[in-house]
Amino acid sequence: RSTRCSWNRIYSEDGEVNAVQLDIRTGHGQTVDKILKWVDSDGRESLSDGTWCDAGCGVGSLAIPLAQRGATVVASDIAGAMASEAERRAADLGLSERASFSTSDLESLSGEYDTVSCIDVMIHYPPEKMAGMVGHLGGIAKERLILSFAPDTWYYRALKRFGELFPGPSKTTRAYLHTEEAVLKALSEAGFAPSRTEMTGTNFYFSRLIEAVRQ
């Protein structure tokens, strides 16, 4: 529970965080910005005719800008307080008709959407459960999956161990790492192939971003 609360504090975008958590929040924002650059390069007309599911939406850092660009977004988060905050922010911007928010875990998501995104959520899934999660998300994505994960390399394993040496509130928050090979294999088994990739790295945040399209 304390681990989940730490991540909620990071992604809430307000409230007090320590230096490590602020660095992670900054890195997460950079990953979101890279997705929005992809969207903008594709043209906003590519959003208007389709549906977008944002799984693990936090306070709407991706879902709300997508709705502002004309997307119809169905977003959810396992933390009810974060989903409610995202809903309030969307309503304040007059986006309630374009973006809906609910409380749900990934395993309970259903329906069909043109695009499914799941950003910085795989850190909560151990390697033995990652493929099942990717497969489930692929089952509700008609055209495209956009995922991010903390890559399992010797360098990032060492950096993670270094962050765990910090005392008290400056200690890094637990995160599961995944090899890119394993994630690509899970995507392939779900019927998807990578089309674009990005990498974001700050002092304590490291995330591989993959867009994959259905084959």
Side-chain angles (χ1 to χ4, degrees), residues 33-51:
D33 286 344
K34 288 172 182 177
I35 298 171
L36 294 174
K37 285 182 180 178
W38 284 350
V39 169
D40 291 340
S41 69
D42 291 341
R44 296 194 180 186
E45 62 277 3
S46 66
L47 288 177
S48 58
D49 295 331
T51 53

Side-chain angles (χ1 to χ4, degrees), residues 151-166:
D152 188 356
T153 67
W154 70 266
Y155 175 76
Y156 290 129
R157 283 197 300 271
L159 183 61
K160 183 172 179 287
R161 284 196 294 269
F162 175 71
E164 289 169 350
L165 297 176
F166 282 78

